[in-house]
Amino acid sequence: MPGTLCITWTITSTVSVPPMPILTCARCNTQRAFASSGRFRLNANGKRLDAWLIYRCTVCDQTWNRAIFERRARNTVDPALLDALQRNDAALARKTAFDMTGIKRWEPGGGDAAISIVKTIAGPPAEGEDRLAISMRMPSPVRGIRSDKVLALGLGMSRSAVGKLARAGRMAFEPGATTALARPVRDRQRVWIMLDGLSNAALLLDAASGQADIALSAASAPVD
């Protein structure tokens, strides 16, 4: 009986430097790039808290505070988050600096992020799979890369071919519709691809599950 092959794609950025918003520096009196300092600022006003990630002008060191939350009731803040902020946790600072939420309008961009995709089969393969279920996982924010590019990279096909599959009704998204292809991929987004009747179904199965990557690595390995 035909079945569904469930696969998890873990997507990470290969870019090592977080985005630097371009802001008007009050000290330089012109637009400058601001870089994360890796440190947080916390402010308590009664029972409410404000938290910011501190950025510094790359020329003069003038500071700019990027809001993480403002006027938040203390009892609604996760204690683990509060502890990380107080310790200037490096992992949290890095994750926040890579998150484009709220700063995209100040960031110069420069195209899609370079990414790597680790593919893991989530369960034992069924006999004669005719459907793919791909779950997207992003442990850290990845700068707004479109879903169609992620699928093209992961499936080893062109973005136009991915679009053709979607227009033919062979793709479904959760959340979202086929318009999700033109939007940034989301953490925990799921994509279903119907393979029955496709001449390249076996190739897509191998590419989506990572088997094609393994075969390519083996083929390129040096021979003793």
Side-chain angles (χ1 to χ4, degrees), residues 199-210:
S199 60
N200 62 340
L203 293 175
L204 288 177
L205 279 167
D206 284 348
S209 62

Side-chain angles (χ1 to χ4, degrees), residues 2-149:
T4 300
L5 181 61
C6 298
I7 302 164
T8 298
W9 286 3
T10 302
I11 305 162
T12 55
S13 174
T14 58
V15 177
S16 59
V17 179
M20 291 187 287
I22 305 298
L23 306 166
T24 299
C25 176
R27 188 176 297 169
C28 296
N29 198 30
T30 189
Q31 288 198 323
R32 299 291 194 195
F34 278 68
S36 168
S37 69
R39 300 184 65 82
F40 298 100
R41 177 185 170 192
L42 272 173
N43 180 59
N45 187 350
K47 295 183 178 180
R48 296 193 176 273
L49 295 174
D50 303 305
W52 302 274
L53 176 62
I54 302 172
Y55 282 68
R56 293 188 181 277
C57 173
T58 54
V59 175
C60 74
D61 241 18
Q62 173 75 9
T63 61
W64 172 69
N65 295 332
R66 174 184 176 179
I68 298 172
F69 56 78
E70 294 178 300
R71 308 297 295 165
R72 178 82 62 86
R74 182 187 291 269
N75 61 4
T76 65
V77 179
D78 185 340
L81 172 60
L82 185 58
D83 177 65
L85 292 168
Q86 291 172 327
R87 291 187 292 103
N88 289 310
D89 182 76
L92 177 61
R94 181 174 175 80
K95 180 178 180 180
T96 304
F98 269 102
D99 189 351
M100 295 294 292
T101 305
I103 68 166
K104 190 174 181 63
R105 65 185 183 276
W106 294 311
E107 207 273 328
D112 288 328
I115 61 169
S116 69
I117 303 174
V118 175
K119 304 166 185 177
T120 308
I121 297 177
E127 285 294 326
E129 296 97 340
D130 65 356
R131 189 168 78 155
L132 283 168
I134 302 171
S135 297
M136 309 290 187
R137 293 291 183 269
M138 292 188 291
S140 298
V142 176
R143 297 169 61 180
I145 185 169
R146 286 169 49 131
S147 296
D148 58 351
K149 182 169 185 180

